């Protein structure tokens, strides 16, 4: 499919120059590599073996063989960087941001694309979607998972719908949880493992304690993990945020039945519960709505996030079948619930009120349940295995429900109002996709990777009392929506030498129209302007003609190692079409109580398009036998094709310089994170200044049993604002920006004892 709009000439020159630079580097480095064959043994010793990933082809492969950019964090990385929640992942990696903080909604943003436009999976299971105003997930976040259970996290940057289908238009985030074999080893003779751990995270004053055990019984290998956390919401620099109590508990129980050395059945239960409370602080909160004497007595809120997931999985690395060598079949159920409650108690004195006090309660529930089955298979064939075929299918069905209730009652318990509403009806979204990808080895240096996927989806609204209450009489009854989509990709890698390669990739992505926007109905109560003798009303009606949002991504890069220096450099450009935005449909002229009534009708429509381009680089080099360093960075640019402005989701020029020291049982990491000032923003929105921060981590293993980790974050105690925290917020010179700052200097520590 051709791109739907002409590229901006200036950015074409940038990309063309970048590609020219890559090919210049290709030639010069290939010559340099060939002239240094006598150093190959030293080079191999200094270069780490390729990390094994699955997001590049849905079969295991070395990260160096993937035609595209993938970032990986292992459990060791999570432990050494003191990661306690999802928002702290990949903070030293280019191209990846995670919004939110401890206790708040969190979501991945990959190369400027976030909301539900990045697909998240865990052990082959689709994770929950987010929900929030304008699709920024500020009400319900994603990825309800405790970091202690994670073995590896992989992020594939750019469109990936040819492999993963719907909602992968911005990228893929894949979590793998730990197995018993990761602790017991394979063929080690060890049949039992038990460890206890605890820690403190100064960013949120969070104390934690947990235990992890694994054991073998015959053919069964079982892992059980528990983690409890108790703290507060992440503070700002001046510690002025309300101290929201944040408590969580998580349990992972996972058992493998080993059929033979290549085949196993896996059963798992993953439970996560987080409670967030903002208790009343007892302070005088002044008048309610500015009304004299209407004093606020209590103002509190609470939030509960709960996730239960169940999986049954069959893994076979050597089937012996003619049509497949490897097989991965997963059946799962993932259920997510978030409840929000707000309580306000205020006086309503006579004569302006009924007298006494009134209690206002608002309750909201977001419930989502997904059943699914996925199959991934791999087959090598051809002379000398010149083809590595991966193929399979995914089916899942998601039920989503969003009731809201507002209750008002007097101090005597008399209910004055009890309204049940819903912004959209109960909805079932069914998705089915089938895919095929082939890695064709044209020579020992050159491979081509074509891929194709067909997807079908259907959205079916259900009867819903809350939605019927908001939409009286069913005037705008929602209807079923169904459609299909064909996505493809083509990538290639070329190994100029054993130590230097280049890759190019074109890929497509799409996102199913959001159910909440497709069926959204809202009507604002009429208000009358006496000076104009006219009444006004706003109405948003459902849209049953929405089509998928689409993306096309192009990326070119080089990677390899020169002597002891490892490097990767890539440039990309992504085009996004059919973005769904609110649009004015018509103005209806009517009358109300003898006055003219004007009703402005709006609807979500496919009207917007955008483009994002950027460059990323990473370098690493050992410094002797006990030190190493790395340097990475990213540059981004964007354009909203409707307004001509920048998008609010990109990042300023930023990067990280890291130095690692290791000697015996002691290791230490220093991370210098920097960001340029951010002025590439939509008009009349907040910008941010440049900053540099320093984080230091240290680890000491007293022996094989007792280990301690410590960290000092923001060691220089700098006050700064990450652009992610203020992206898209309208500019207000009088607004207090302190709440958006990151914490000052904080200390963290964790302990582990292996029995």
């Amino acid at each position: 499919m051709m791109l739907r709009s002409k590229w901006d000439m200036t950015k074409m020159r940038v990309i063309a120059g970048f590609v020219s630079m890559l090919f210049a580097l290709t030639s010069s480095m290939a010559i340099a590599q060939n002239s240094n064959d006598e150093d190959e043994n030293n080079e191999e010793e200094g270069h780490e073996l390729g990390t094994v990933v699955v997001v590049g082809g849905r079969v295991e492969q070395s990260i160096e063989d993937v035609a595209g950019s993938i970032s990986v964090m292992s459990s060791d990385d999570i432990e050494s960087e003191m990661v306690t929640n999802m928002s702290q992942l990949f903070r030293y990696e280019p191209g990846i941001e995670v919004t939110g903080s401890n206790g708040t909604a969190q979501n991945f943003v990959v190369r400027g694309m976030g909301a539900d436009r990045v697909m998240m999976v865990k052990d082959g299971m689709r994770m929950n979607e987010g929900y929030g105003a304008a699709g920024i997930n500020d009400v319900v976040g994603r990825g309800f998972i405790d970091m202690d259970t994670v073995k590896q996290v992989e992020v594939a940057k750019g469109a990936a719908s040819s492999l993963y289908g719907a909602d992968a238009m911005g990228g893929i985030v894949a979590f793998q949880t730990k197995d018993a074999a990761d602790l017991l080893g394979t063929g080690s003779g060890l049949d039992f493992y038990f460890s206890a751990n605890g820690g403190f995270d100064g960013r949120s004053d969070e104390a934690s304690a947990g235990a992890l055990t694994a054991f073998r019984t015959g053919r069964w290998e079982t892992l059980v993990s528990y983690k409890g956390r108790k703290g507060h919401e992440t503070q700002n620099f001046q510690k002025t945020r309300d101290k929201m109590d944040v408590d969580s508990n998580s349990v992972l129980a996972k058992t493998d039945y080993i059929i033979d050395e290549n085949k196993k059945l896996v059963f798992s239960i993953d439970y996560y519960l987080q409670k967030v409370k903002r208790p009343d602080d007892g302070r005088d909160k002044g008048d309610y709505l500015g009304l004299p004497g209407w004093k606020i007595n209590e103002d509190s809120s609470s939030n509960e996030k709960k996730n239960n997931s169940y999986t049954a999985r069959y893994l076979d690395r050597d089937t012996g079948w003619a049509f497949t060598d490897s097989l991965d079949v997963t059946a799962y159920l993932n259920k997510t619930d978030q409840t929000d409650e707000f309580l306000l108690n205020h006086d309503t004195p006579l004569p302006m009120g009924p007298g006494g006090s009134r209690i206002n309660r608002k309750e909201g529930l977001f419930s989502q349940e997904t059943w699914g089955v996925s199959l991934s298979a791999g087959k090598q064939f051809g002379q000398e295995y010149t083809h590595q075929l991966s193929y399979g299918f995914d089916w899942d069905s998601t039920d989503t429900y969003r009731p809201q209730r507002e209750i008002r009652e007097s101090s005597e318990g008399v209910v004055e109002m009890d309204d049940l509403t819903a912004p959209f009806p109960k909805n079932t979204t069914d998705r089915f996709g089938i895919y095929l990808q082939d890695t064709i080895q044209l020579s020992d240096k050159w491979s081509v990777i074509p891929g194709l996927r067909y997807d079908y989806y259907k959205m079916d609204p259900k009867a819903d009392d809350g939605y019927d209450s908001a939409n009286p009489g069913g005037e705008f009854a929602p209807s079923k929506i169904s459609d299909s989509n064909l996505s493809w990709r083509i990538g290639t890698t070329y190994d100029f030498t054993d130590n230097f390669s280049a890759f190019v990739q074109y890929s497509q992505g799409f996102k199913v129209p959001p159910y909440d926007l497709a069926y959204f109905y809202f009507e604002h109560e009429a208000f009358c302007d006496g000076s104009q003798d006219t009444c006004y009303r706003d109405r948003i009606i459902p849209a049953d003609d929405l089509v998928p949002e689409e993306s096309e991504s192009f990326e070119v890069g080089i990677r390899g190692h020169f002597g002891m220096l490892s490097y990767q450099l890539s440039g990309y450009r992504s085009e996004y079409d059919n973005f769904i935005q609110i649009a004015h449909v018509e103005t209806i002229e009517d009358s109300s109580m003898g006055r003219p009534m004007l009703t402005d009708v709006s609807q979500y429509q496919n009207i917007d398009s955008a483009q994002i381009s950027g460059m990323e680089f990473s370098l690493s080099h050992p410094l002797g036998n006990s030190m190493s360093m790395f340097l990475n960075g990213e540059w981004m640019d964007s354009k909203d094709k409707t307004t001509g402005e920048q998008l609010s989701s990109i990042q300023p020029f930023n990067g990280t310089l890291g130095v690692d020291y290791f000697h015996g049982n002691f290791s230490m990491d220093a991370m210098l994170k920097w960001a340029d000032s951010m002025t590439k923003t939509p008009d009349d929105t907040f910008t941010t200044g440049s900053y540099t921060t320093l984080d230091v981590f240290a680890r000491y293993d007293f022996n094989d049993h007792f280990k301690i980790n410590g960290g000092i974050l923001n060691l220089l105690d700098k006050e700064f604002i990450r652009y992610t925290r203020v992206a898209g917020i309208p500019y207000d010179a009088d607004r207090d920006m302190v709440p958006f700052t990151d914490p000052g200097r904080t200390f963290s520590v964790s302990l582990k004892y292996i029995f």
Side-chain angles (χ1 to χ4, degrees), residues 553-573:
S553 298
F554 176 77
E555 182 177 13
V556 57
I558 58 173
R559 61 165 72 102
H561 53 99
F562 185 74
M564 305 295 282
L565 174 69
S566 298
Y567 58 85
Q568 177 162 318
L569 175 66
S570 63
Y572 63 89
R573 183 183 183 92

Side-chain angles (χ1 to χ4, degrees), residues 533-559:
D533 195 33
T534 303
C535 296
Y536 301 90
R537 180 167 54 197
D538 293 316
R539 177 186 295 165
I540 301 176
I541 61 175
D544 58 5
D545 58 350
L546 294 177
V547 300
E549 299 176 327
E550 299 176 343
S551 67
E552 296 177 312
S553 298
F554 176 77
E555 182 177 13
V556 57
I558 58 173
R559 61 165 72 102

Side-chain angles (χ1 to χ4, degrees), residues 210-273:
L212 178 64
T213 185
F215 51 89
R216 284 193 179 101
T217 306
R219 292 180 177 270
W220 294 93
E221 297 179 350
T222 302
L223 174 145
V224 179
S225 170
Y226 167 77
K227 191 75 172 189
R229 303 180 187 274
K230 189 177 183 65
H232 304 290
E233 183 184 355
T234 304
Q235 267 294 348
N236 56 31
F237 186 82
Q238 296 186 16
K239 299 182 178 180
T240 59
R241 285 184 186 155
D242 290 337
K243 284 205 170 184
M244 308 271 284
D245 297 327
V246 182
D247 302 336
S248 66
N249 290 276
S250 69
V251 177
L252 171 66
K254 196 173 187 182
T255 186
D256 298 359
Y257 178 75
I258 309 302
I259 301 172
D260 60 35
E261 62 180 1
N262 294 310
K263 301 175 178 59
K264 66 178 180 179
L265 289 168
V266 183
F267 305 95
S268 68
I269 300 174
D270 199 347
Y271 170 81
Y272 176 88
L273 174 66

Side-chain angles (χ1 to χ4, degrees), residues 173 357 359 430 505 586 593 699:
V173 180
S357 62
I359 298 175
D430 294 316
Q505 177 180 230
E586 63 176 334
M593 299 180 67
R699 171 174 175 169

Side-chain angles (χ1 to χ4, degrees), residues 606-656:
N606 297 98
I607 60 173
D608 211 352
S609 59
Q611 61 188 32
I612 298 176
S613 55
M615 301 180 188
E616 297 172 0
F617 70 89
S618 62
L619 306 168
S620 63
H621 195 285
L623 304 173
N625 295 324
S626 60
M627 292 185 69
S628 65
M629 60 80 66
F630 74 86
L631 175 67
N632 63 43
E634 66 170 326
W635 170 89
M636 301 180 71
D637 197 20
S638 66
K639 182 179 180 180
D640 183 323
K641 294 183 180 179
T642 302
T643 64
E645 299 178 0
Q646 293 277 353
L647 301 180
S648 62
S649 56
I650 66 171
Q651 296 299 310
F653 184 39
N654 71 90
T656 302

Side-chain angles (χ1 to χ4, degrees), residues 264-288:
K264 66 178 180 179
L265 289 168
V266 183
F267 305 95
S268 68
I269 300 174
D270 199 347
Y271 170 81
Y272 176 88
L273 174 66
Q274 183 185 81
K275 294 183 178 181
V276 180
K277 294 183 179 180
R278 180 177 60 84
D280 184 75
D281 56 18
R283 293 180 297 177
D284 182 0
K285 301 170 184 63
D287 294 339
Y288 177 59

Side-chain angles (χ1 to χ4, degrees), residues 130-140 516-517:
Y131 175 75
I136 59 175
N137 301 157
D138 58 355
V139 177
V140 179
D516 54 328
L517 303 188

Side-chain angles (χ1 to χ4, degrees), residues 111-408:
R111 288 181 172 173
M113 194 52 51
D116 289 325
R117 298 180 176 105
V118 174
M119 187 174 175
M120 293 174 60
V121 296
K122 178 181 69 176
D123 293 338
M125 174 191 73
R126 172 185 283 269
M127 300 178 75
N128 73 286
E129 298 171 314
Y131 175 75
I136 59 175
N137 301 157
D138 58 355
V139 177
V140 179
R142 308 181 70 190
F144 295 163
I145 181 173
D146 194 281
M147 293 300 105
D148 265 25
T149 66
V150 175
K151 175 169 63 177
Q152 182 164 294
V153 192
E154 305 169 19
V155 178
K157 304 173 184 177
S161 288
S162 65
L163 279 173
Y164 288 89
D167 307 342
M169 66 180 293
I172 294 291
V173 180
F175 291 86
Q176 297 180 45
T177 59
K178 296 175 180 177
D179 294 291
D182 299 322
L183 306 172
L184 301 175
T186 302
S188 64
L190 181 65
D191 291 328
F192 182 78
Y193 172 96
F194 182 81
S195 67
N197 59 77
F200 175 78
D201 184 350
R203 288 164 288 193
S204 53
D205 293 333
E206 179 185 86
S208 63
L212 178 64
T213 185
F215 51 89
R216 284 193 179 101
T217 306
R219 292 180 177 270
W220 294 93
E221 297 179 350
T222 302
L223 174 145
V224 179
S225 170
Y226 167 77
K227 191 75 172 189
R229 303 180 187 274
K230 189 177 183 65
H232 304 290
E233 183 184 355
T234 304
Q235 267 294 348
N236 56 31
F237 186 82
Q238 296 186 16
K239 299 182 178 180
T240 59
R241 285 184 186 155
D242 290 337
K243 284 205 170 184
M244 308 271 284
D245 297 327
V246 182
D247 302 336
S248 66
N249 290 276
S250 69
V251 177
L252 171 66
K254 196 173 187 182
T255 186
D256 298 359
Y257 178 75
I258 309 302
I259 301 172
D260 60 35
E261 62 180 1
N262 294 310
K263 301 175 178 59
K264 66 178 180 179
L265 289 168
V266 183
F267 305 95
S268 68
I269 300 174
D270 199 347
Y271 170 81
Y272 176 88
L273 174 66
Q274 183 185 81
K275 294 183 178 181
V276 180
K277 294 183 179 180
R278 180 177 60 84
D280 184 75
D281 56 18
R283 293 180 297 177
D284 182 0
K285 301 170 184 63
D287 294 339
Y288 177 59
L289 299 179
L291 298 173
W294 286 49
K295 181 182 177 181
I296 298 175
N297 301 316
E298 181 180 353
D299 184 3
S300 62
S301 63
S302 64
N303 164 281
E304 182 177 287
K305 306 176 181 72
K306 182 168 65 175
N307 181 262
N308 294 283
S309 60
Y310 310 88
T311 62
R313 195 172 190 180
Y314 174 73
L315 295 167
D316 192 340
R317 296 177 182 272
D318 186 8
T319 64
W321 299 341
F323 56 89
T324 180
D325 298 327
S326 62
L327 186 64
D328 179 350
V329 182
T330 303
Y332 62 86
L333 165 64
N334 186 47
K335 182 171 175 56
T336 299
D337 292 304
Q338 176 170 311
T339 58
D340 300 278
E341 296 185 1
F342 304 88
L343 186 145
L344 180 67
N345 183 316
H346 60 89
D347 291 336
T348 60
L350 298 170
M352 297 186 64
S357 62
R358 173 185 289 165
I359 298 175
N360 292 359
R361 290 202 311 272
K362 293 183 179 181
E363 302 170 354
L365 169 67
F366 178 87
S367 179
Q368 189 169 84
E369 181 176 286
T370 299
W371 295 82
V373 176
S374 68
L375 181 148
S376 300
K379 177 65 180 178
Q380 287 186 322
F381 65 95
Q383 187 176 5
E384 297 182 355
Y385 300 111
T386 53
H387 291 265
Q388 172 62 65
L389 195 69
S390 60
Y391 63 93
F393 72 86
D394 300 285
W395 169 85
D396 58 77
S397 181
T398 301
D399 293 321
T400 309
Y401 182 40
R402 176 62 174 166
Q404 296 172 300
R405 184 182 295 273
E406 183 173 359
I407 302 172
R408 296 179 187 173

